Amino acid sequence: MQDLLIAIFNGISIGSVLLMAALGLAIVFGLMGVINLAHGELIMLGAYTTFVVQNIFKSFGESLFSTYIFFAIPIAFIITALAGLALERGVIRFLYGRPLETLLATWGVSLILQQLVRSVSTTFVIGIVIFCLLFFGGLWVLRRRPNWDNIQRWAVSVLFLLSSGIAFDIGLIIGQRQKALSKPWFSARNVDVSAPPWLRGGLEVGTFQIPYARVFIIVLTIFCLIGIYWFFNKSNWGLRIRSVTQNRTMSACLGIPTDTVDALTFAIGSGLAGIAGCAITLLGSVGPNTGQNYIVDTFMVVVVGGVGNLLGTVIASFAIGVTSYLIGSGTLALLLTNMNAAPFFVDFFNFFATTSMAKVLVFVLIIAFLQVKPSGIFPQKGRTAEL
């Protein structure tokens, strides 16, 4: 019984990590219908933001370092929310209603973000800043010309090429004269994030230790759930988001700014991915491919729970987490052995008693479940289900 309780707790902790990673996707994919394959990279950006905040606080001494996690969480939310806002304004807004093109575009963005983390340096940032100043500053000036509508197409193209060329040349010159500025900040290697001293170790329960870090992730997940529930059900903007989700045309007729609602929804979903990245740093090292380890599992959680249903997302994440751990850790096979079950079942679950093979079996179980309930645990109802 103790082994079973230990396995269930570990499964719940895994499920809380999945839930944290899936919350943002449940909003973006569930409410907006956008297949965002760059969601994993937003989680990765949140993890690297936590790494940077940790290094800054290390320089101020141990007393301040123990509090860095409370600053890293909101900063990771803001950074990834801004990245998601830029993604929505620059790419997604032109692809609503075209899921295949959205999938391909966000997959390309995910590859760009992975390479960005590997190669970002001071000269690269300088080049980006110069490009933004020249391009957007030039647009601001040209839009005030009376013939802007006539010259818009070729002006944007020419301004983009000129700004890119000037920014590239300046960055190249700076990099040649100051080699240290061209050194990548992170490179392709994984980086380690140290947990605050009060999150190290665990609570002794008999012969078992409950890690403080996993308890913190569970508590953080609960706070995020409460915050999301309050926002969508009690705040004015939350009600506007629900209104646009149900009937965009009628919402626009009532004066709700649908474009602003789209941007806000995507930003919130992306910010939650950043908080998930912050939580993931407490479990191990992070690297450019960190997000790819979670993107498939998060999509499975959202689909099994029911697209757009937060309660379904919660149930699905814990069900998948507990099932994966019971099978992958060999606990289920051990229980069947103690119960004198048929050797066939014992050998079957012993075969899948590894992390990778457990994922295969869970994936097969999810496919079988979706054959019975293709819309998930809580299918959509009303206008949204008809669209």
PDB file of all heavy atoms in Angstrom, residues 59-78:
ATOM      1  N   SER A  59      24.531  37.162  -7.967  1.00  0.00           N
ATOM      2  CA  SER A  59      25.534  38.198  -7.760  1.00  0.00           C
ATOM      3  C   SER A  59      25.222  39.080  -6.554  1.00  0.00           C
ATOM      4  O   SER A  59      26.081  39.841  -6.108  1.00  0.00           O
ATOM      5  CB  SER A  59      25.649  39.071  -9.011  1.00  0.00           C
ATOM      6  OG  SER A  59      24.410  39.719  -9.296  1.00  0.00           O
ATOM      7  N   PHE A  60      24.008  38.996  -6.004  1.00  0.00           N
ATOM      8  CA  PHE A  60      23.617  39.820  -4.860  1.00  0.00           C
ATOM      9  C   PHE A  60      23.743  39.090  -3.527  1.00  0.00           C
ATOM     10  O   PHE A  60      23.367  39.641  -2.489  1.00  0.00           O
ATOM     11  CB  PHE A  60      22.178  40.321  -5.025  1.00  0.00           C
ATOM     12  CG  PHE A  60      22.007  41.302  -6.152  1.00  0.00           C
ATOM     13  CD1 PHE A  60      21.370  40.917  -7.322  1.00  0.00           C
ATOM     14  CD2 PHE A  60      22.480  42.594  -6.048  1.00  0.00           C
ATOM     15  CE1 PHE A  60      21.208  41.813  -8.360  1.00  0.00           C
ATOM     16  CE2 PHE A  60      22.328  43.500  -7.079  1.00  0.00           C
ATOM     17  CZ  PHE A  60      21.698  43.112  -8.245  1.00  0.00           C
ATOM     18  N   GLY A  61      24.213  37.856  -3.558  1.00  0.00           N
ATOM     19  CA  GLY A  61      24.403  37.142  -2.305  1.00  0.00           C
ATOM     20  C   GLY A  61      23.338  36.089  -2.065  1.00  0.00           C
ATOM     21  O   GLY A  61      22.307  36.032  -2.742  1.00  0.00           O
ATOM     22  N   GLU A  62      23.592  35.238  -1.071  1.00  0.00           N
ATOM     23  CA  GLU A  62      22.736  34.092  -0.793  1.00  0.00           C
ATOM     24  C   GLU A  62      21.361  34.495  -0.284  1.00  0.00           C
ATOM     25  O   GLU A  62      20.364  33.830  -0.557  1.00  0.00           O
ATOM     26  CB  GLU A  62      23.414  33.186   0.246  1.00  0.00           C
ATOM     27  CG  GLU A  62      22.728  31.850   0.463  1.00  0.00           C
ATOM     28  CD  GLU A  62      22.821  30.945  -0.757  1.00  0.00           C
ATOM     29  OE1 GLU A  62      23.751  31.140  -1.577  1.00  0.00           O
ATOM     30  OE2 GLU A  62      21.957  30.059  -0.902  1.00  0.00           O
ATOM     31  N   SER A  63      21.284  35.592   0.465  1.00  0.00           N
ATOM     32  CA  SER A  63      20.001  35.992   1.047  1.00  0.00           C
ATOM     33  C   SER A  63      18.981  36.353  -0.027  1.00  0.00           C
ATOM     34  O   SER A  63      17.812  35.968   0.055  1.00  0.00           O
ATOM     35  CB  SER A  63      20.193  37.174   1.999  1.00  0.00           C
ATOM     36  OG  SER A  63      20.774  38.275   1.309  1.00  0.00           O
ATOM     37  N   LEU A  64      19.424  37.099  -1.044  1.00  0.00           N
ATOM     38  CA  LEU A  64      18.518  37.452  -2.136  1.00  0.00           C
ATOM     39  C   LEU A  64      18.326  36.294  -3.100  1.00  0.00           C
ATOM     40  O   LEU A  64      17.267  36.157  -3.726  1.00  0.00           O
ATOM     41  CB  LEU A  64      19.039  38.679  -2.887  1.00  0.00           C
ATOM     42  CG  LEU A  64      18.828  40.031  -2.210  1.00  0.00           C
ATOM     43  CD1 LEU A  64      19.430  41.147  -3.037  1.00  0.00           C
ATOM     44  CD2 LEU A  64      17.346  40.290  -1.980  1.00  0.00           C
ATOM     45  N   PHE A  65      19.345  35.459  -3.236  1.00  0.00           N
ATOM     46  CA  PHE A  65      19.238  34.321  -4.158  1.00  0.00           C
ATOM     47  C   PHE A  65      18.102  33.394  -3.766  1.00  0.00           C
ATOM     48  O   PHE A  65      17.448  32.808  -4.627  1.00  0.00           O
ATOM     49  CB  PHE A  65      20.559  33.548  -4.181  1.00  0.00           C
ATOM     50  CG  PHE A  65      20.495  32.273  -4.988  1.00  0.00           C
ATOM     51  CD1 PHE A  65      20.465  32.313  -6.375  1.00  0.00           C
ATOM     52  CD2 PHE A  65      20.448  31.036  -4.357  1.00  0.00           C
ATOM     53  CE1 PHE A  65      20.401  31.146  -7.107  1.00  0.00           C
ATOM     54  CE2 PHE A  65      20.376  29.871  -5.089  1.00  0.00           C
ATOM     55  CZ  PHE A  65      20.353  29.930  -6.481  1.00  0.00           C
ATOM     56  N   SER A  66      17.837  33.251  -2.485  1.00  0.00           N
ATOM     57  CA  SER A  66      16.778  32.345  -2.029  1.00  0.00           C
ATOM     58  C   SER A  66      15.385  32.821  -2.436  1.00  0.00           C
ATOM     59  O   SER A  66      14.429  32.053  -2.369  1.00  0.00           O
ATOM     60  CB  SER A  66      16.836  32.184  -0.508  1.00  0.00           C
ATOM     61  OG  SER A  66      16.627  33.436   0.125  1.00  0.00           O
ATOM     62  N   THR A  67      15.274  34.077  -2.891  1.00  0.00           N
ATOM     63  CA  THR A  67      13.962  34.617  -3.277  1.00  0.00           C
ATOM     64  C   THR A  67      13.808  34.771  -4.784  1.00  0.00           C
ATOM     65  O   THR A  67      12.779  35.285  -5.232  1.00  0.00           O
ATOM     66  CB  THR A  67      13.741  35.986  -2.618  1.00  0.00           C
ATOM     67  OG1 THR A  67      14.713  36.920  -3.123  1.00  0.00           O
ATOM     68  CG2 THR A  67      13.875  35.895  -1.103  1.00  0.00           C
ATOM     69  N   TYR A  68      14.808  34.342  -5.571  1.00  0.00           N
ATOM     70  CA  TYR A  68      14.780  34.634  -7.005  1.00  0.00           C
ATOM     71  C   TYR A  68      13.570  34.008  -7.704  1.00  0.00           C
ATOM     72  O   TYR A  68      13.054  34.556  -8.689  1.00  0.00           O
ATOM     73  CB  TYR A  68      16.073  34.168  -7.668  1.00  0.00           C
ATOM     74  CG  TYR A  68      16.091  32.715  -8.078  1.00  0.00           C
ATOM     75  CD1 TYR A  68      15.569  32.305  -9.305  1.00  0.00           C
ATOM     76  CD2 TYR A  68      16.643  31.736  -7.255  1.00  0.00           C
ATOM     77  CE1 TYR A  68      15.584  30.970  -9.691  1.00  0.00           C
ATOM     78  CE2 TYR A  68      16.661  30.414  -7.623  1.00  0.00           C
ATOM     79  CZ  TYR A  68      16.130  30.039  -8.845  1.00  0.00           C
ATOM     80  OH  TYR A  68      16.137  28.717  -9.213  1.00  0.00           O
ATOM     81  N   ILE A  69      13.080  32.874  -7.193  1.00  0.00           N
ATOM     82  CA  ILE A  69      11.992  32.169  -7.872  1.00  0.00           C
ATOM     83  C   ILE A  69      10.720  33.022  -7.895  1.00  0.00           C
ATOM     84  O   ILE A  69       9.926  32.961  -8.847  1.00  0.00           O
ATOM     85  CB  ILE A  69      11.728  30.807  -7.183  1.00  0.00           C
ATOM     86  CG1 ILE A  69      10.837  29.922  -8.054  1.00  0.00           C
ATOM     87  CG2 ILE A  69      11.125  31.001  -5.797  1.00  0.00           C
ATOM     88  CD1 ILE A  69      11.501  29.447  -9.292  1.00  0.00           C
ATOM     89  N   PHE A  70      10.522  33.862  -6.868  1.00  0.00           N
ATOM     90  CA  PHE A  70       9.325  34.699  -6.814  1.00  0.00           C
ATOM     91  C   PHE A  70       9.384  35.856  -7.817  1.00  0.00           C
ATOM     92  O   PHE A  70       8.349  36.410  -8.185  1.00  0.00           O
ATOM     93  CB  PHE A  70       9.128  35.250  -5.398  1.00  0.00           C
ATOM     94  CG  PHE A  70       8.902  34.185  -4.363  1.00  0.00           C
ATOM     95  CD1 PHE A  70       9.877  33.879  -3.435  1.00  0.00           C
ATOM     96  CD2 PHE A  70       7.714  33.462  -4.345  1.00  0.00           C
ATOM     97  CE1 PHE A  70       9.676  32.884  -2.484  1.00  0.00           C
ATOM     98  CE2 PHE A  70       7.497  32.475  -3.397  1.00  0.00           C
ATOM     99  CZ  PHE A  70       8.478  32.187  -2.467  1.00  0.00           C
ATOM    100  N   PHE A  71      10.587  36.215  -8.235  1.00  0.00           N
ATOM    101  CA  PHE A  71      10.747  37.223  -9.282  1.00  0.00           C
ATOM    102  C   PHE A  71      10.781  36.567 -10.661  1.00  0.00           C
ATOM    103  O   PHE A  71      10.332  37.156 -11.646  1.00  0.00           O
ATOM    104  CB  PHE A  71      12.025  38.026  -9.053  1.00  0.00           C
ATOM    105  CG  PHE A  71      12.013  38.868  -7.818  1.00  0.00           C
ATOM    106  CD1 PHE A  71      12.420  38.347  -6.594  1.00  0.00           C
ATOM    107  CD2 PHE A  71      11.568  40.177  -7.862  1.00  0.00           C
ATOM    108  CE1 PHE A  71      12.400  39.113  -5.446  1.00  0.00           C
ATOM    109  CE2 PHE A  71      11.541  40.957  -6.724  1.00  0.00           C
ATOM    110  CZ  PHE A  71      11.960  40.422  -5.508  1.00  0.00           C
ATOM    111  N   ALA A  72      11.320  35.342 -10.719  1.00  0.00           N
ATOM    112  CA  ALA A  72      11.437  34.662 -12.012  1.00  0.00           C
ATOM    113  C   ALA A  72      10.071  34.313 -12.590  1.00  0.00           C
ATOM    114  O   ALA A  72       9.882  34.368 -13.809  1.00  0.00           O
ATOM    115  CB  ALA A  72      12.281  33.397 -11.850  1.00  0.00           C
ATOM    116  N   ILE A  73       9.112  33.961 -11.734  1.00  0.00           N
ATOM    117  CA  ILE A  73       7.784  33.559 -12.217  1.00  0.00           C
ATOM    118  C   ILE A  73       7.091  34.693 -12.965  1.00  0.00           C
ATOM    119  O   ILE A  73       6.680  34.517 -14.123  1.00  0.00           O
ATOM    120  CB  ILE A  73       6.919  33.028 -11.059  1.00  0.00           C
ATOM    121  CG1 ILE A  73       7.475  31.681 -10.561  1.00  0.00           C
ATOM    122  CG2 ILE A  73       5.468  32.860 -11.489  1.00  0.00           C
ATOM    123  CD1 ILE A  73       6.809  31.169  -9.295  1.00  0.00           C
ATOM    124  N   PRO A  74       6.927  35.907 -12.369  1.00  0.00           N
ATOM    125  CA  PRO A  74       6.268  36.977 -13.136  1.00  0.00           C
ATOM    126  C   PRO A  74       7.086  37.451 -14.332  1.00  0.00           C
ATOM    127  O   PRO A  74       6.516  37.811 -15.374  1.00  0.00           O
ATOM    128  CB  PRO A  74       6.082  38.097 -12.105  1.00  0.00           C
ATOM    129  CG  PRO A  74       7.072  37.821 -11.037  1.00  0.00           C
ATOM    130  CD  PRO A  74       7.216  36.327 -10.989  1.00  0.00           C
ATOM    131  N   ILE A  75       8.432  37.463 -14.212  1.00  0.00           N
ATOM    132  CA  ILE A  75       9.254  37.894 -15.347  1.00  0.00           C
ATOM    133  C   ILE A  75       9.133  36.913 -16.494  1.00  0.00           C
ATOM    134  O   ILE A  75       9.023  37.312 -17.668  1.00  0.00           O
ATOM    135  CB  ILE A  75      10.722  38.060 -14.899  1.00  0.00           C
ATOM    136  CG1 ILE A  75      10.849  39.221 -13.913  1.00  0.00           C
ATOM    137  CG2 ILE A  75      11.632  38.295 -16.104  1.00  0.00           C
ATOM    138  CD1 ILE A  75      12.233  39.374 -13.318  1.00  0.00           C
ATOM    139  N   ALA A  76       9.143  35.604 -16.198  1.00  0.00           N
ATOM    140  CA  ALA A  76       8.967  34.596 -17.246  1.00  0.00           C
ATOM    141  C   ALA A  76       7.606  34.737 -17.907  1.00  0.00           C
ATOM    142  O   ALA A  76       7.475  34.599 -19.133  1.00  0.00           O
ATOM    143  CB  ALA A  76       9.135  33.190 -16.656  1.00  0.00           C
ATOM    144  N   PHE A  77       6.576  35.039 -17.104  1.00  0.00           N
ATOM    145  CA  PHE A  77       5.243  35.255 -17.665  1.00  0.00           C
ATOM    146  C   PHE A  77       5.248  36.439 -18.626  1.00  0.00           C
ATOM    147  O   PHE A  77       4.700  36.363 -19.743  1.00  0.00           O
ATOM    148  CB  PHE A  77       4.243  35.491 -16.534  1.00  0.00           C
ATOM    149  CG  PHE A  77       2.834  35.740 -17.010  1.00  0.00           C
ATOM    150  CD1 PHE A  77       1.962  34.680 -17.217  1.00  0.00           C
ATOM    151  CD2 PHE A  77       2.379  37.032 -17.259  1.00  0.00           C
ATOM    152  CE1 PHE A  77       0.668  34.899 -17.670  1.00  0.00           C
ATOM    153  CE2 PHE A  77       1.089  37.265 -17.706  1.00  0.00           C
ATOM    154  CZ  PHE A  77       0.232  36.195 -17.916  1.00  0.00           C
ATOM    155  N   ILE A  78       5.856  37.541 -18.225  1.00  0.00           N
ATOM    156  CA  ILE A  78       5.860  38.753 -19.057  1.00  0.00           C
ATOM    157  C   ILE A  78       6.656  38.533 -20.343  1.00  0.00           C
ATOM    158  O   ILE A  78       6.206  38.899 -21.444  1.00  0.00           O
ATOM    159  CB  ILE A  78       6.433  39.933 -18.258  1.00  0.00           C
ATOM    160  CG1 ILE A  78       5.492  40.296 -17.105  1.00  0.00           C
ATOM    161  CG2 ILE A  78       6.655  41.144 -19.164  1.00  0.00           C
ATOM    162  CD1 ILE A  78       6.071  41.313 -16.138  1.00  0.00           C
TER     163      ILE A  78
END
